C-alpha cells in the first residue's frame, strides 16, 4: 500500500475510535488547504459574506480570559483552532468533526468575547492581549545562569518585534529582514531549547510576524466567528447571532470548484485525498 492509502485507512479507523481526538488529525491535514477551501466557499456562497481571499495567520491563537475581578489577564485561555482573515475581517475559526464536540458553553464564551471586541481594532483587543501574554512569557521564561541571574532568550528580539509593532505604524523595525522567516526561526529555537508549554507561543508570534507586511488584518475593526463542522443540526438558533457555519457537506459539494483552486497551488492530488477521507468518515 502507498503511504497516502495507509494514512487514509488509519485516519478513517481513528475517526470511529471514541478515544482518539480526531479533530487534531483533521486539523493537521486541513491546515495546508484551509485558506483555499474557505476562499472558494466564500466565493460560491455569498450568504457567508466572506470578502476575498481567506488567509491563515496562525493556529491555536490564545484568547485570554479576564479573572473574576475583571482587572487583568490571568493567562488562562481558550485557543481558536485557526486565526484567519479576508480583505476586511479577522476570523476565529473552530473545527468540529462530530456533533457532540459542539459545546454550547464554548460558543457562549465566544459570543461574549466577540461582544467585547465589537467596533474595536483587533490590535487593541485580541492583539493587545496576545502581546500581554508574550510579555508574561518573556519575563518568566528566561533560564538562570550559574550565578542565578536571569538570562534573556536568544529569541528576545522576536518578542520585541511584535511587542513594539503597534508603535511602528505597521512597519517591521529597521534592520529586520522582511522575508517570511520568523516562524522558522522560532521552530529552530524551540528545537534547540526543547521548549514546551507557554514558550511555544513564540511560534504563534512568528506566524503572525510573517503576515505583518499586510497589516490590514491587525488594525481591522471587524472580528467574526466561523465554525467548520459536521452538520447544521442544533445550531439554527445561533444563525441569528452572526456566527458563520460551513459544513463538510457543502465543502464536498463544491469539491470541483475547490479542486480548481488547489490545482493552481499544486495541491489537487492532496485535496482529492482529503475529500476521500471526508467521505469515508461519513462527514458529508
Amino acid at each position: 500500500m502507498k503511504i497516502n492509502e495507509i494514512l487514509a485507512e488509519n485516519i478513517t479507523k481513528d475517526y470511529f475510535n471514541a478515544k482518539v481526538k480526531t479533530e487534531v488529525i483533521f486539523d493537521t491535514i486541513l491546515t495546508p488547504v484551509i485558506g483555499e477551501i474557505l476562499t472558494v466557499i466564500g466565493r460560491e456562497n455569498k450568504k457567508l459574506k466572506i470578502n476575498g481571499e481567506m488567509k491563515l495567520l496562525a493556529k491555536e491563537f490564545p484568547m485570554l480570559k479576564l479573572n473574576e475581578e475583571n482587572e487583568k489577564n490571568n493567562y488562562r485561555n481558550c485557543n481558536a483552532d485557526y486565526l484567519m482573515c479576508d480583505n476586511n475581517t479577522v476570523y476565529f475559526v473552530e473545527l468540529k468533526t462530530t456533533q457532540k464536540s459542539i459545546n454550547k458553553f464554548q460558543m457562549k464564551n465566544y459570543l461574549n468575547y466577540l461582544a467585547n471586541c465589537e467596533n474595536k481594532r483587533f490590535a487593541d483587543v485580541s492583539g493587545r492581549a496576545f502581546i500581554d501574554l508574550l510579555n508574561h512569557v518573556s519575563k518568566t521564561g528566561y533560564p538562570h545562569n550559574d550565578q542565578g541571574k536571569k538570562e534573556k532568550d536568544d529569541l528576545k528580539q522576536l518578542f520585541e518585534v511584535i511587542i513594539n509593532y503597534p508603535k511602528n505604524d505597521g512597519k517591521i523595525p529597521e534592520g529586520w529582514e522582511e522575508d517570511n522567516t520568523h516562524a522558522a526561526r522560532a521552530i529552530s529555537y524551540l528545537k534547540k531549547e526543547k521548549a514546551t508549554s507557554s514558550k511555544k507561543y513564540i511560534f504563534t508570534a512568528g506566524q503572525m510576524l510573517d503576515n505583518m507586511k499586510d497589516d490590514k488584518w491587525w488594525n481591522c475593526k471587524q472580528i467574526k466567528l466561523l465554525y467548520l463542522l459536521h452538520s447544521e443540526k442544533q445550531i439554527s438558533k445561533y444563525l441569528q447571532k452572526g456566527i458563520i457555519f460551513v459544513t463538510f457537506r457543502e465543502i464536498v459539494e463544491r469539491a470541483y470548484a475547490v479542486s480548481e483552486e488547489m490545482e493552481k497551488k499544486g495541491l489537487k492530488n492532496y485535496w482529492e485525498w482529503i475529500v476521500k477521507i471526508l467521505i469515508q468518515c461519513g462527514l458529508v
Side-chain angles (χ1 to χ4, degrees):
M1 293 178 69
K2 297 180 180 179
I3 187 169
N4 60 323
E5 294 173 344
I6 295 172
L7 284 172
E9 181 180 328
N10 281 276
I11 289 171
T12 302
K13 290 178 180 178
D14 285 342
Y15 181 76
F16 294 103
N17 187 328
K19 296 298 183 181
V20 176
K21 294 182 178 180
T22 55
E23 284 173 3
V24 177
I25 299 172
F26 279 90
D27 180 7
T28 299
I29 66 174
L30 286 172
T31 293
V33 294
I34 188 68
E36 286 78 11
I37 290 172
L38 293 179
T39 295
V40 173
I41 296 299
R43 188 169 65 223
E44 299 280 318
N45 185 352
K46 302 299 183 183
K47 292 181 181 179
L48 300 177
K49 296 182 179 179
I50 291 175
N51 186 352
E53 180 184 0
M54 283 285 278
K55 184 176 182 181
L56 177 62
L57 302 170
K59 292 180 61 175
E60 293 297 324
F61 181 79
M63 298 181 298
L64 296 183
K65 297 178 181 178
L66 297 178
N67 63 13
E68 293 180 359
E69 289 76 27
N70 201 34
E71 292 177 349
K72 61 181 181 179
N73 291 319
N74 61 9
Y75 306 109
R76 296 170 61 187
N77 61 74
C78 61
N79 295 333
D81 292 326
Y82 305 100
L83 180 69
M84 304 186 71
C85 70
D86 63 14
N87 290 337
N88 57 12
T89 304
V90 170
Y91 297 85
F92 296 122
V93 180
E94 277 293 321
L95 173 65
K96 302 296 182 184
T97 58
T98 65
Q99 189 63 37
K100 291 183 178 179
S101 64
I102 299 175
N103 187 309
K104 64 180 181 179
F105 297 107
Q106 182 195 51
M107 198 173 287
K108 182 179 179 180
N109 287 335
Y110 262 117
L111 291 172
N112 290 337
Y113 182 91
L114 292 178
N116 291 327
C117 296
E118 191 171 2
N119 296 321
K120 297 176 183 177
R121 295 192 314 157
F122 177 86
D124 296 330
V125 281
S126 306
R128 174 55 59 189
F130 181 65
I131 289 170
D132 187 51
L133 175 61
L134 283 181
N135 271 312
H136 175 70
V137 174
S138 179
K139 291 172 183 174
T140 61
Y142 298 146
H144 290 75
N145 61 20
D146 294 338
Q147 288 74 41
K149 295 181 180 180
K150 287 186 177 180
E151 294 182 334
K152 294 181 179 180
D153 296 329
D154 293 339
L155 280 188
K156 169 75 163 49
Q157 295 177 20
L158 180 59
F159 289 112
E160 289 177 341
V161 168
I162 195 166
I163 288 168
N164 293 325
Y165 180 80
K167 303 175 184 177
N168 289 304
D169 298 323
K171 298 177 182 178
I172 298 294
E174 186 177 352
W176 277 80
E177 65 272 51
E178 292 198 0
D179 53 356
N180 297 337
T181 60
H182 297 96
R185 288 167 56 219
I187 289 175
S188 296
Y189 166 77
L190 292 167
K191 284 181 179 178
K192 182 178 71 175
E193 298 296 323
K194 295 181 171 58
T196 58
S197 189
S198 59
K199 280 271 195 154
K200 290 187 176 181
Y201 284 124
I202 65 173
F203 174 68
T204 306
Q207 289 181 302
M208 295 169 70
L209 285 170
D210 285 340
N211 288 294
M212 282 298 190
K213 283 183 284 187
D214 179 12
D215 69 333
K216 289 186 294 184
W217 67 270
W218 178 258
N219 291 304
C220 83
K221 289 186 177 181
Q222 188 163 260
I223 305 173
K224 294 182 180 180
L225 174 61
L226 188 153
Y227 270 75
L228 180 58
L229 75 175
H230 178 263
S231 71
E232 292 183 343
K233 293 179 181 179
Q234 300 177 351
I235 64 171
S236 57
K237 62 181 178 180
Y238 294 105
L239 293 174
Q240 304 302 319
K241 297 182 182 294
I243 302 175
I244 300 170
F245 295 100
V246 176
T247 65
F248 289 110
R249 176 180 293 278
E250 180 176 10
I251 290 173
V252 172
E253 286 175 348
R254 303 182 188 275
Y256 180 76
V258 177
S259 181
E260 289 183 321
E261 195 70 25
M262 296 300 178
E263 191 168 17
K264 299 175 187 176
K265 307 283 186 178
L267 294 171
K268 182 178 180 181
N269 290 339
Y270 182 72
W271 169 240
E272 291 174 349
W273 177 74
I274 289 177
V275 171
K276 177 182 177 181
I277 292 173
L278 295 177
I279 294 172
Q280 288 180 175
C281 292
L283 282 168
V284 298

